[in-house]
Amino acid sequence: ALTCRDQVMALARAAGDAVHEAHAHAVGALALGYMGRIDAAADELEAAVSLLTASNNPTVRALCDYVAGENRLEIAPGDAIPFLHRSRGTARRVGNRFIASVAGLSAVSCAARLGDPTTMIGEYAELIEYFHRAGAWTQLWTTIRTLIETLTRLGQNEAATILYGALRTTGTGAPITGADAARLSEAATSLRS
């Protein structure tokens, strides 16, 4: 991802395209955040936001807010939610359903972990429908994974177990790593007991 980011950034700079350069910085910040390089991710995101002062492209603004929230999910989940909500709202206003949905997924799963999961359960239907219709299998299975965790916390074990079985047998899901893997393992242990 970082190699592709560098190529896009070089092309954007050569063309004098601040919007695509900001987009490349934001994508780089997301990759660095997933790698656990939070300080480097913050620098990339700052570079992206500074480029937006000239263009203020709403799609890239929504992406930057999504990345800011996503990079805070594990270290400061309460701080992540406002960024994710702002991202989702901006993306919805400009018709970018993908960014609205990924930001929505992160916001819903984070809010369900922090508060009463009952209030979040209804949010999953729209996300599952969108990712399924879009053929976004990685995001769909990530949504299912977080739904399993939420259902387990709610004691809806039969539904969670059925979804867990589907998740374990799919060939279209991405590998589950890090804190996500730990949370899913806890849910599976709870379901087994």
Side-chain angles (χ1 to χ4, degrees), residues 156-168:
Q156 295 183 17
N157 297 330
E158 184 176 352
T161 301
I162 291 167
L163 290 173
Y164 181 73
L167 179 69
R168 298 281 297 159

Side-chain angles (χ1 to χ4, degrees), residues 24-157:
H25 277 295
V27 170
L30 185 62
L32 290 165
Y34 285 153
M35 295 168 65
R37 296 173 53 194
I38 300 301
D39 290 340
D43 291 343
E44 280 288 312
L45 199 52
E46 186 177 320
V49 170
S50 72
L51 286 165
L52 287 176
T53 58
S55 69
N56 202 26
N57 180 283
T59 295
V60 179
R61 174 79 56 197
L63 177 63
C64 287
D65 283 336
Y66 165 68
V67 171
E70 188 74 11
N71 286 348
R72 287 172 171 80
L73 279 179
E74 298 303 328
I75 56 173
D79 295 342
I81 292 174
F83 287 102
L84 297 167
H85 283 291
R86 189 169 58 223
S87 171
R88 188 178 197 185
T90 301
R92 280 181 167 168
R93 277 192 300 282
V94 297
N96 190 319
R97 290 196 65 199
F98 184 78
I99 292 177
S101 295
V102 294
L105 171 57
S106 292
V108 165
S109 64
C110 184
R113 284 194 306 265
L114 291 176
D116 177 12
T118 307
T119 61
M120 296 290 103
I121 200 76
E123 297 283 326
Y124 283 97
E126 176 187 342
L127 296 167
I128 290 169
E129 185 273 330
Y130 170 72
F131 290 132
H132 183 262
R133 199 166 28 81
W137 302 115
T138 298
Q139 288 77 20
L140 175 64
W141 287 110
T142 301
T143 305
I144 297 294
R145 178 188 46 73
T146 64
L147 179 56
I148 292 165
E149 296 165 16
T150 302
L151 290 170
T152 302
R153 278 194 297 284
L154 290 171
Q156 295 183 17
N157 297 330

